[in-house]
């Protein structure tokens, strides 16, 4: 609301108290004469004020000599601001006046942006739709929510026209129009189905849609029918062709067809009996009641009528009644064919019975050939048009029986009871032995009974033999060994068996000896050659022949645990040897077989055998011939008796070797001055070292490799590993992943570099246990 003031005086009424007034007037003469205080006129406030809902102030410079009135307002409008001197008797404005100064103060209306029109295209969808107006607290929109199709108006009004106006400086309502178009509905497609009456309701199928209704599409009767499709709401829907009138469809239900009626059987042969004229039944048509049966030869007709011609028609598209014809022909008799039968034990009809003829000799029972005479009865004729008697032949065959499958043949006695297992059968008789256990020949005969024959059409007796033979005993191979007298009992080797006994195969004395193999039972056993007499083998123990020998080679320098081997060249037969020695008391008088293939005598020692010098006395024997052999053997101390004290010090282990003299050797060469239990080389021990103790027993040798330093050093840098290595064996430095996979390998040297990715790696000096873990960042 704008504020206007009609009178300045009316706004500035000054009331003075009696005391104040008296003072002012009493002083007036004197003040009038004095100079007044000049008061600066305040500058106008140039601020542009726009309504914002809060109080706004027209600002003037403050001064103790005047007072400002009417400079604070909230609503939009034009206002006057009055500035009055507090004491015009003492003060005046700088222009010499004392009247109040007036300033114009305006608060302009707030301008509201006119809402933009919603250019959305609205189509009816059954739901409420919104014409969108931008939200603003300064105006109100009405009519923007609509559901139905049509043209609609939206009104937007300012909430406060006193303090607000549109951006076009007006305050009138703004009008917007928007349209909701009708929803377009697809015209349903015609149903191309072919409909045929079936007594049930048939539906012309239109795709269901909530936008339209379908009537007349469900029909039962045959004929032409109309289907109407109507829009459910013509105010809000329209067809896709922009119309809203009903859509019409027509559909035809064709009459159902009925198969033309046919006779169950339309042709009969006369036999003097009543014939039923039956038509294939169908509930859709009715048969007339005339001519349902007939007896005499001739043609008969029955009529069939459709029950519902409105909905049914014949398969030939007609609806008129149909006639079905039946015929009774003369009776024709077929001459029976000659037949064969199989014996059953009961009477058999050799020709089929028939009311058209009689049969003489038409019954048979036993197997054989028969002649049957047929005579026609009155009223019948043979199929060849003749009526004379006719003759046919018949035969009754014997029953064929499979020859028994019998387990026959030859078996070997094993105490089992064997059976030929011939199955019983009324067709034959079984005689003879059916089973057997002991060796021998068992015979069974099978004889056919009358009216039976074998399947091969023979009737001969079947004879079966079961042969049980003695058990065959393999004849052992003879022992081809040459036996020499050895002062011990010797065995002629022969394969043992529970089927026979062995006698005379163990002998000691020189001479010819007989070995007898006797079957334990000649009733059930026989030799593989079919005999049962004992089998004899001869073997001789002959005198030992002389032998000569030469020592070809022997290892007379060993350490405990090694074998002493003596290689002999033997001329003749050498059977055994015995060893006697202080070093090996456990072998005394042990008879050891000589290995003629290797021609070596092996004398074993153990780890507990004491080192020293020994004489080995060996007795070589062949039968009763014995020769002596003696060799000297030195059993030295093993390498384990040398202990390594440091890289440059070794010693003979005093706990194992008791000695008062020592002499060290390197690589087989005597070391001058090295005669103590300990030996030291500050340059490092590198070579083969041994020591001779007590003048002639050796200790060692051992191989040492401490003469050259071995080391490996490495650190990681960006993208590589720097390493330095040395190996007394000339080995490589291997680069491995942390999982042990070899990545690279280079010969050991003082300056080495490996290019790698960031990670953890292992460097290893080949042939040693020296390794370094390196981390590359």
């Amino acid at each position: 609301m704008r504020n206007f003031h009609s009178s300045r005086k009316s706004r500035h009424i000054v009331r003075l108290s009696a005391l104040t007034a008296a003072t002012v007037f009493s002083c007036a003469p004197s003040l009038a004469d004095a100079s007044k205080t000049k008061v600066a006129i305040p500058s106008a406030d140039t601020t542009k004020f726009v309504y914002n809902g809060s109080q706004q102030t027209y600002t003037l410079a403050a001064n103790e000599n005047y007072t400002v009135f009417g400079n604070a307002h909230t609503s939009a409008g034009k206002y006057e601001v009055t500035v009055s001197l507090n004491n015009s008797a003492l003060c005046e404005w700088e222009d010499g006046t004392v009247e109040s100064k007036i300033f114009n103060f305006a608060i302009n209306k707030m301008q509201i942006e006119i809402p933009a029109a919603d250019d959305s295209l609205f189509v009816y969808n059954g739901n409420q739709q919104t014409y969108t107006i931008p939200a603003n607290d300064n105006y109100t929109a009405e009519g923007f929510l609509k559901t139905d199709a049509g043209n609609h108006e939206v009104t937007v009004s300012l909430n406060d026209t006193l303090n607000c106006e549109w951006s076009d400086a007006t305050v009138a309502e703004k009008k917007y129009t928007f349209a909701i178009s009708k929803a377009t509905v697809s015209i349903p497609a015609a149903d191309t189905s072919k409909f045929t009456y079936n007594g049930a309701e048939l539906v012309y199928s239109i795709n269901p849609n909530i936008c339209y209704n379908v009537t007349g599409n469900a029909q039962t009767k045959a004929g032409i029918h109309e289907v109407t499709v109507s829009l459910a709401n013509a105010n809000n829907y329209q067809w896709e062709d922009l119309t809203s009138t009903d859509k019409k469809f027509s559909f035809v239900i064709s009459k159902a067809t009925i198969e033309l009626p046919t006779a169950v059987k339309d042709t009969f042969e006369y036999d003097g009996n009543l014939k039923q004229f039956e038509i294939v039944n169908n509930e859709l048509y009715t048969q007339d009641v005339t001519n349902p049966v007939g007896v005499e030869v001739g043609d008969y007709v029955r009529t069939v009528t459709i029950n519902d011609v409105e909905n049914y028609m014949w398969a030939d598209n007609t609806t008129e009644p149909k006639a079905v014809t039946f015929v009774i022909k003369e009776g024709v008799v077929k001459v029976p064919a000659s037949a064969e039968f199989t014996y059953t034990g009961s009477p058999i009809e050799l020709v089929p019975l028939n009311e058209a003829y009689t049969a003489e000799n038409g019954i048979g029972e036993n197997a054989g050939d028969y002649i049957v005479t047929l005579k026609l009865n009155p009223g019948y004729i043979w199929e060849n048009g003749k009526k004379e008697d006719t003759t046919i032949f018949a035969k009754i065959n014997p029953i064929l029986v499979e020859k028994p499958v019998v387990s026959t043949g030859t078996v070997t006695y094993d105490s089992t009871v064997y059976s030929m297992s011939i199955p019983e059968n009324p067709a034959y008789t079984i005689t003879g032995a059916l089973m057997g256990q002991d060796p021998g020949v068992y015979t069974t005969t099978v004889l056919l009974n009358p009216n039976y024959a074998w399947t091969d059409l023979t009737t001969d007796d079947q004879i079966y033999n079961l042969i049980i033979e003695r058990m065959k005993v393999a004849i052992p191979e003879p022992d081809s060994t040459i036996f020499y007298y050895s002062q011990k009992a010797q065995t002629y080797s022969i394969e043992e068996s529970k089927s026979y006994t062995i006698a005379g195969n163990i002998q000691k004395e020189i001479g010819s000896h007989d070995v007898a193999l006797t079957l334990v039972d000649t009733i059930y056993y026989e030799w593989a050659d079919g005999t049962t007499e004992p089998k004899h083998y001869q073997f001789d123990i002959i005198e030992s022949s002389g032998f000569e020998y030469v020592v070809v080679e022997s290892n007379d320098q060993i350490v405990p645990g090694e074998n002493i081997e003596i290689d002999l060249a033997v001329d003749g037969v050498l059977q055994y040897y015995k060893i006697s020695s202080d070093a090996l008391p456990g072998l005394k008088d042990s008879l050891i077989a000589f290995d003629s293939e290797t021609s070596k005598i092996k004398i074993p020692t153990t780890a507990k055998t004491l080192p020293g010098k020994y004489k080995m006395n060996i007795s070589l024997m062949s039968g009763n011939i014995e020769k002596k052999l003696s060799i000297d053997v030195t059993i030295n101390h093993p390498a384990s008796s040398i202990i390594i004290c440091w890289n440059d010090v070794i010693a003979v282990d005093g706990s194992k070797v008791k000695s008062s003299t020592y002499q060290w050797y390197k690589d087989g060469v005597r070391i001058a001055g090295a005669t103590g239990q300990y030996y030291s080389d500050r340059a490092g021990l590198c070579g083969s070292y041994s020591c001779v103790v007590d003048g002639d027993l050796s200790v060692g040798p051992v191989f040492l490799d401490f003469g050259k330093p071995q080391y490996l050093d490495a650190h990681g840098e960006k993208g590589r590993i720097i390493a330095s290595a040395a190996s007394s064996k000339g080995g490589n430095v291997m680069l491995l992943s942390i999982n042990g996979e070899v990545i690279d390998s280079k010969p050991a040297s003082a300056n080495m570099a490996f290019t790698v990715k960031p990670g953890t790696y292992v460097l290893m000096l080949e042939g040693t246990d020296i390794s370094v873990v390196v981390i590359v960042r």
Side-chain angles (χ1 to χ4, degrees):
M1 179 180 289
R2 295 180 180 178
N3 299 312
F4 298 94
H5 305 282
S6 60
S7 173
R8 294 177 182 175
K9 292 182 179 180
S10 64
R11 295 177 65 243
H12 302 289
I13 300 175
V14 180
R15 294 182 175 85
L16 301 176
S17 65
L19 177 60
T20 303
T23 303
V24 171
F25 292 127
S26 64
C27 296
S30 60
L31 293 172
D33 296 335
S35 297
K36 291 184 178 181
T37 301
K38 296 290 185 179
V39 179
I41 300 170
S43 299
D45 186 347
T46 61
T47 303
K48 301 295 182 180
F49 294 93
V50 176
Y51 174 78
N52 61 10
S54 301
Q55 189 180 67
Q56 301 184 71
T57 302
Y58 184 90
T59 304
L60 295 172
N63 193 298
E64 62 182 2
N65 294 309
Y66 57 74
T67 302
V68 179
F69 299 95
N71 66 324
H73 295 280
T74 300
S75 299
K78 295 181 179 180
Y79 303 97
E80 287 185 349
V81 178
T82 304
V83 182
S84 302
L85 292 170
N86 293 335
N87 191 340
S88 59
L90 299 176
C91 304
E92 64 181 5
W93 297 111
E94 60 185 346
D95 61 0
T97 65
V98 294
E99 290 81 6
S100 296
K101 300 297 183 183
I102 303 301
F103 297 86
N104 292 321
F105 167 31
I107 297 178
N108 297 316
K109 288 184 178 182
M110 179 190 299
Q111 287 206 328
I112 307 303
E113 191 69 33
I114 299 171
D118 185 348
D119 57 1
S120 302
L121 297 178
F122 297 92
V123 177
Y124 174 79
N125 59 12
N127 299 318
Q128 193 176 62
Q129 301 188 68
T130 303
Y131 182 89
T132 304
I133 297 294
N136 196 305
D137 294 336
N138 295 300
Y139 55 72
T140 301
E142 294 180 347
F144 58 90
L145 297 176
K146 296 297 179 181
T147 301
D148 293 332
N151 295 320
H152 306 283
E153 185 177 77
V154 178
T155 302
V156 182
S157 306
L158 290 170
N159 297 333
D160 182 1
T161 57
L162 295 177
N163 293 301
C164 300
E165 64 183 3
W166 296 114
S167 57
D168 61 358
T170 67
V171 294
E173 296 174 340
K174 298 297 180 185
K175 302 289 186 178
Y176 300 84
T177 60
F178 77 99
I180 297 178
S181 302
K182 290 183 179 182
T184 299
V185 181
S186 297
I187 299 172
D191 186 350
T192 59
S193 303
K194 302 295 182 182
F195 298 92
T196 301
Y197 174 80
N198 60 9
E201 185 177 72
L202 299 173
V203 178
Y204 183 88
S205 179
I206 298 288
N207 289 332
N209 195 309
I210 62 172
C211 301
Y212 52 73
N213 300 315
V214 182
T215 58
N217 64 321
Q219 301 292 337
T220 303
K221 299 294 184 181
I224 300 174
H225 307 280
E226 185 177 74
V227 179
T228 301
V229 182
S230 306
L231 289 170
N233 185 344
N235 292 327
N236 291 308
Y237 294 102
Q238 64 181 1
W239 296 113
E240 58 187 337
D241 61 1
L242 304 183
T243 67
S244 58
T245 57
D246 294 347
K247 299 298 179 186
K248 302 291 185 178
F249 300 86
S250 64
F251 78 101
V252 176
I253 298 179
S254 301
K255 290 183 180 181
T257 59
I258 305 173
E259 291 294 327
L260 295 175
T262 58
V264 174
K265 180 179 180 181
D266 60 0
T267 302
F268 300 87
E269 287 188 4
Y270 172 78
D271 59 3
N273 296 320
L274 192 68
K275 309 299 181 186
Q276 297 287 337
F277 300 144
E278 295 179 314
I279 296 174
V280 175
N281 191 39
N282 192 318
E283 63 181 4
L284 300 176
Y285 54 70
T286 301
Q287 306 174 31
D288 65 4
V289 296
T290 60
N291 296 325
V293 295
V295 176
E296 301 299 328
V297 172
D299 293 338
Y300 301 82
V301 177
R302 298 193 69 186
T303 303
V304 180
T305 305
I306 294 176
N307 298 333
D308 180 5
V309 294
E310 181 183 353
N311 292 303
Y312 290 94
M313 62 182 176
W314 296 115
D316 61 1
N317 297 327
T318 65
T319 57
E320 293 77 14
K322 297 295 182 183
V324 180
T325 301
F326 300 86
V327 178
I328 298 178
K329 295 181 178 181
E330 291 180 344
V332 176
V333 182
K334 183 177 181 179
V335 178
S338 297
E340 288 191 12
F341 302 90
T342 300
Y343 172 77
T344 63
S346 299
I348 298 173
E349 292 180 351
L350 302 178
V351 294
L353 294 179
N354 195 303
E355 70 279 0
Y357 57 76
T358 58
E360 294 180 359
N361 198 32
I363 302 297
E365 182 174 354
N366 292 318
D369 294 325
Y370 295 83
I371 298 175
V372 182
T373 301
L374 302 178
K375 296 178 179 291
L376 279 173
N377 293 328
Y380 292 93
I381 191 169
W382 297 117
E383 61 182 346
N384 60 7
K386 297 181 180 181
K387 293 186 177 182
E388 291 82 5
D389 295 348
T390 187
T391 301
I392 64 171
F393 298 93
K395 182 177 184 178
I396 298 178
N397 293 314
I399 297 175
L400 298 182
V401 182
E402 292 283 347
K403 292 180 180 179
V405 178
V406 182
S407 299
T408 61
T410 302
V411 296
T412 301
Y413 170 78
D414 58 1
S415 75
T416 300
V417 176
Y418 289 92
S419 172
M420 283 185 271
S421 301
I422 300 176
E424 293 185 357
N425 195 308
Y428 52 72
T429 303
I430 303 170
T431 63
L434 291 175
M435 60 182 63
Q437 180 178 17
D438 292 337
V441 178
Y442 300 85
T443 301
T444 300
T445 303
V446 178
L447 303 90
L448 277 173
N449 295 328
N451 292 311
Y452 292 91
W454 301 119
T455 53
D456 61 3
L457 303 181
T458 64
T459 57
D460 298 336
D461 296 344
Q462 300 299 305
I463 299 173
Y464 302 95
N465 289 318
L466 169 65
I467 301 172
I468 300 177
E469 293 184 339
R470 296 184 183 96
M471 286 188 290
K472 296 291 185 181
V473 179
I475 302 171
E477 293 293 329
D479 187 349
S480 59
T481 305
I482 298 175
F483 294 88
Y484 294 93
Y485 177 72
S486 64
Q487 304 178 21
K488 292 184 177 181
Q490 301 185 69
T491 301
Y492 181 88
S493 297
I494 200 79
E495 183 180 353
E496 295 183 355
S497 171
K498 65 179 181 179
S499 302
Y500 53 76
T501 59
I502 303 172
N505 63 321
I506 301 175
Q507 301 292 339
K508 179 180 180 182
E509 301 301 329
I510 295 172
S512 181
H513 305 283
D514 179 70
V515 178
L517 274 60
T518 304
L519 291 171
V520 296
D521 187 342
T522 58
I523 296 176
Y524 300 107
Y525 296 92
E526 66 183 7
W527 297 112
D529 60 4
T531 63
T532 58
E533 293 78 12
K535 296 295 180 185
H536 293 273
Y537 299 83
Q538 302 294 323
F539 79 101
D540 297 325
I541 300 178
I542 60 177
E543 290 185 2
S544 301
S545 60
F547 66 91
E548 300 295 333
Y549 70 90
V550 175
V551 177
V552 177
E553 184 180 3
S554 66
N555 56 336
D556 55 2
Q557 295 283 336
I558 64 167
V559 296
E562 293 181 347
N563 289 335
I564 302 169
E565 291 189 356
I566 304 172
D567 191 357
L568 299 179
V570 178
D571 181 13
V573 177
L574 174 58
Q575 293 177 318
Y576 305 99
Y577 61 88
K578 291 192 298 185
I579 301 169
S580 175
S581 174
D582 293 340
L584 304 169
L587 292 178
K588 187 175 182 180
D589 295 331
S590 295
L591 198 61
I592 303 171
F594 178 72
D595 188 348
S596 59
E597 290 186 5
T598 62
S599 297
K600 287 185 179 180
I601 293 175
K602 294 183 179 180
I603 305 173
T605 66
T606 67
K608 294 182 179 180
T609 301
L610 296 177
K613 290 187 175 293
Y614 300 96
K615 184 174 291 293
M616 296 288 173
N617 295 315
I618 304 169
S619 296
L620 304 176
M621 293 176 288
S622 180
N624 52 359
I625 299 173
E626 180 177 355
K627 295 185 178 182
K628 300 293 186 181
L629 169 63
S630 180
I631 63 170
D632 293 322
V633 175
T634 300
I635 301 178
N636 293 308
H637 294 279
S640 60
S641 295
I642 294 178
I643 56 176
I644 301 169
C645 301
W646 197 245
N647 289 0
D648 57 355
V649 178
I650 56 176
V652 174
D653 188 347
S655 65
K656 298 178 180 179
V657 180
K658 306 300 182 182
S659 178
S660 58
T661 62
Y662 303 91
Q663 176 59 60
W664 289 92
Y665 289 79
K666 177 181 179 181
D667 297 330
V669 179
R670 181 174 176 276
I671 304 173
T675 58
Q677 181 181 357
Y678 292 85
Y679 173 70
S680 174
D681 186 346
R682 293 187 178 180
L685 298 171
C686 183
S688 178
Y689 294 88
S690 61
C691 184
V692 176
V693 297
D694 283 338
D696 53 5
L697 288 182
S698 175
V699 184
V702 295
F703 178 80
L704 302 175
D705 190 11
F706 297 129
K708 298 178 181 179
Q710 299 187 103
Y711 70 90
L712 175 62
D713 186 30
H715 66 276
E717 294 183 354
K718 184 176 181 180
R720 63 178 185 166
I721 297 173
I722 303 302
S724 178
S727 173
S728 62
K729 299 179 180 179
N732 294 330
V733 174
M734 294 183 292
L735 174 65
L736 295 85
S737 68
I738 196 66
N739 297 323
E741 180 182 355
V742 177
I743 300 172
D744 197 358
S745 176
K746 295 183 179 181
S749 64
N751 297 300
M752 306 175 68
F754 296 90
T755 301
V756 295
K757 296 179 181 179
T760 303
Y761 299 89
V762 177
L763 286 181
M764 179 177 288
L765 187 59
E766 189 177 22
T768 72
D769 57 358
I770 301 173
S771 62
V772 178
V773 177
V774 182
I775 298 175
V776 178
R777 303 288 183 184

